[in-house]
Amino acid sequence: MTHLFCTLLAIAAFAALAVSMKRHQRDLAGRALTARETSLARAGGWSLIAVILAVDVAVFGFGYALVAWAGQLTMGAWFNVAWLCWKTAPSRKGR
């Protein structure tokens, strides 16, 4: 259950980091974000990544936590790449 929870947090973290990038803001937020919103999204994304590591260390111990953390971040990143590709696909632009 911890792996699922941390993977969902990783998906949220990478979504926040994606929306903090100017190139993804119009696609994901529907508008350009202010500088304050961009920096809050970036800080939130990096904070979630740190929280995931803290949860993993608390549950699994340091040795296994690093392996689990890397896997969870990988799954979160892949999910967001797939989501961005689907969201910005040329066939979906008109919708």
Side-chain angles (χ1 to χ4, degrees):
M1 210 57 189
T2 303
H3 291 297
L4 177 63
F5 174 70
C6 288
T7 301
L8 292 174
L9 285 179
I11 290 168
F14 282 109
L17 290 174
V19 82
S20 74
M21 298 173 63
K22 287 196 183 294
R23 69 182 294 179
H24 298 306
Q25 288 176 358
R26 291 229 182 260
D27 293 327
L28 300 177
R31 63 181 176 87
L33 300 180
T34 64
R36 184 172 190 275
E37 291 170 330
T38 300
S39 52
L40 282 174
R42 186 176 299 117
W46 284 110
S47 296
L48 279 175
I49 289 174
V51 166
I52 296 165
L53 180 59
V55 168
D56 282 339
V57 168
V59 172
F60 302 118
F62 192 74
Y64 182 72
L66 292 178
V67 175
W69 184 63
Q72 292 153 355
L73 292 181
T74 301
M75 293 299 294
W78 275 107
F79 180 86
N80 275 280
V81 167
W83 178 52
L84 283 168
C85 288
W86 176 78
K87 181 92 172 141
T88 61
S91 62
R92 298 200 47 85
K93 289 283 188 182
R95 294 182 185 168

